[in-house]
Amino acid sequence: MKHVLVIRLSALGDVAIMAPIVKAYADANPDVRFTVAGPPMLAPLFAGMSNVDYLGLKKKQSFIKIYRALDAVGADTVIDLHKVNRVGFAIVTLRLRHLFNPHFRIFALHKGRLSRWLFLHHWRRTPRKPQYVRYDDVFRRAGFTKIENLKLRIDNSVVATHNSQFSILNSQLTIGVAPFSQHEGKIWPLERTEALVRMLSERGHEVVLFGSKSEAQVLEKWARHYAGVTSLAGRLPFAEELGVIRSLAVMVSMDSANMHFASAVGVPVVSVWGATHPDFGFYGIGQDRNNALCADLPCQPCSAFGQKPCRYGDYRCLKAITPEQVVAKVEALLPGLPPEK
């Protein structure tokens, strides 16, 4: 094979999980050209990889535009790490794969739907195969030699240096906090997160808050109220935000894309879990499972992605986790602590 097209067209966290895998196989096969097709925003995750190009495709483009863009790449092998066949979904990679055949060698992700169903219905509680291992399996089925001691992060050199405005941050003590996620079932109650920010501030830590423009009002309010707290919500391009994440000592996040962004650049994450579960296969790549805070109630997980409403109406799984527990996990990961106040 000379040119490989890797497709993962949505889910920011899943693309972030994929980045270290692509980097590893690109490094091990310098004579192969790789083109990654994914959300335009995430191109910085693949920057600096000498034999990797990035094709940004918007989710809402028409099927024919997506196909033409992928066909124009001129690849001889397709690795489909998306594999979606959903009515009404703009990106239907099963149909794309049918169009590519028989002109291309095509290898698709095995999602393990049976093991997912068994885990969700509490018939099997053993951890599911991690998503990055499933991605790695596809590369090996495509004919790539297995990489021993697979590196589970992208190199620092591929991440843009963060804006000099934030270069004063003390990376030994700076803690990132990303309080939001796509679905309510994955968001720790905001009063708990604010209490965490207050406690970290009172203990002398610098805190950087991450979120979107729509979440900025809440995070900026916290930044005004607590010393040493900065909100970057909606303020930086993704490449620069990723550079800030790289400089952190620890990231605190929900089951969200920020967990995966931090994981991709090798930053330890303390994660808070509610409707989903860290053993479902989508835990941060390379992260220590001991740093996942999960109540492990009999009802967890109640859905694969946290999109279903709580059957009890109170998200008791999230309320079972306290700010004190998170602070203890965070400070255990810091190389040094400020004096007690």
Side-chain angles (χ1 to χ4, degrees):
M1 69 190 80
K2 296 181 180 179
H3 191 169
V4 178
L5 172 62
V6 183
I7 304 174
R8 178 76 222 195
L9 297 174
S10 73
L12 302 183
D14 290 273
V15 179
I17 293 172
M18 183 180 79
I21 306 302
V22 172
K23 177 75 165 59
Y25 280 98
D27 286 348
N29 298 274
D31 56 332
V32 177
R33 194 79 202 164
F34 294 83
T35 295
V36 176
M41 167 188 165
L42 297 187
L45 284 169
F46 300 86
M49 301 181 190
S50 60
N51 54 332
V52 178
D53 297 317
Y54 194 83
L55 175 62
L57 291 175
K58 293 183 179 179
K59 183 176 179 179
K60 294 183 179 180
Q61 288 184 95
S62 69
F63 169 77
I64 192 64
K65 284 185 178 180
I66 292 171
Y67 172 69
R68 285 174 177 169
L70 296 178
D71 188 44
V73 168
D76 55 69
T77 302
V78 176
I79 291 180
D80 178 7
L81 299 182
H82 201 144
K83 196 180 180 183
V84 172
N85 182 27
R86 232 175 294 162
V87 175
F89 195 59
I91 303 163
V92 188
T93 56
L94 180 60
R95 289 170 61 195
L96 286 171
R97 287 187 282 116
H98 286 170
L99 282 174
F100 278 121
N101 274 331
H103 307 293
F104 301 88
R105 300 169 66 241
I106 298 174
F107 303 87
L109 176 70
H110 292 169
K111 291 192 170 183
R113 287 189 173 92
L114 176 58
S115 66
R116 175 184 293 181
W117 187 90
L118 291 171
F119 197 103
L120 280 175
H121 291 81
H122 310 286
W123 287 15
R124 179 185 295 170
R125 295 310 301 247
T126 53
R128 293 183 70 243
K129 181 184 288 190
Q131 188 78 341
Y132 81 88
V133 176
R134 294 188 184 278
Y135 289 164
D136 184 50
D137 288 345
V138 184
F139 278 87
R140 290 192 289 109
R141 281 192 282 108
F144 288 101
T145 302
K146 179 178 175 61
I147 297 176
E148 301 295 337
N149 301 316
L150 187 67
K151 191 174 183 180
L152 300 181
R153 59 179 292 181
I154 56 177
D155 290 334
N156 283 349
S157 60
V158 309
V159 180
T161 302
H162 63 72
N163 192 305
S164 59
Q165 177 183 357
F166 303 103
S167 62
I168 60 171
L169 296 177
N170 180 348
S171 61
Q172 286 196 326
L173 297 178
T174 303
I175 299 158
V177 178
F180 296 97
S181 189
Q182 184 177 5
H183 300 292
E184 183 183 2
K186 298 197 291 186
I187 301 175
W188 201 28
L190 288 182
E191 62 271 18
R192 298 284 178 97
T193 310
E194 183 177 4
L196 168 68
V197 171
R198 174 181 54 77
M199 291 170 67
L200 292 173
S201 172
E202 290 173 349
R203 295 172 75 84
H205 301 298
E206 292 173 330
V207 178
V208 179
L209 306 175
F210 295 87
S212 66
K213 287 184 180 179
S214 63
E215 299 152 355
Q217 185 175 1
V218 172
L219 302 185
E220 288 170 1
K221 180 181 176 182
W222 295 354
R224 289 193 300 269
H225 283 189
Y226 304 111
V229 178
T230 301
S231 172
L232 297 187
R235 294 175 60 184
L236 296 178
F238 177 64
E240 293 181 12
E241 185 172 291
L242 194 62
V244 176
I245 291 174
R246 182 189 65 182
S247 74
L248 299 174
V250 185
M251 170 69 88
V252 177
S253 84
M254 309 301 105
D255 173 15
S256 69
N258 280 292
M259 172 178 67
H260 299 297
F261 298 154
S263 300
V265 294
V267 172
V269 178
V270 174
S271 51
V272 176
W273 296 76
T276 54
H277 198 282
D279 292 338
F280 195 66
F282 297 98
Y283 191 49
I285 186 169
Q287 293 295 334
D288 185 340
R289 175 62 175 81
N290 290 326
N291 293 327
L293 288 163
C294 181
D296 277 318
L297 300 180
C299 54
Q300 286 179 278
C302 58
S303 62
F305 308 111
Q307 74 276 28
K308 295 181 180 179
C310 174
R311 69 187 67 175
Y312 303 111
D314 58 8
Y315 291 107
R316 58 191 62 182
C317 52
L318 288 162
K319 292 178 180 178
I321 297 168
T322 67
E324 289 79 8
Q325 289 176 290
V326 179
V327 168
K329 289 287 187 183
V330 167
E331 292 193 333
L333 292 170
L334 294 177
L337 294 176
E340 288 287 342
K341 292 188 175 183

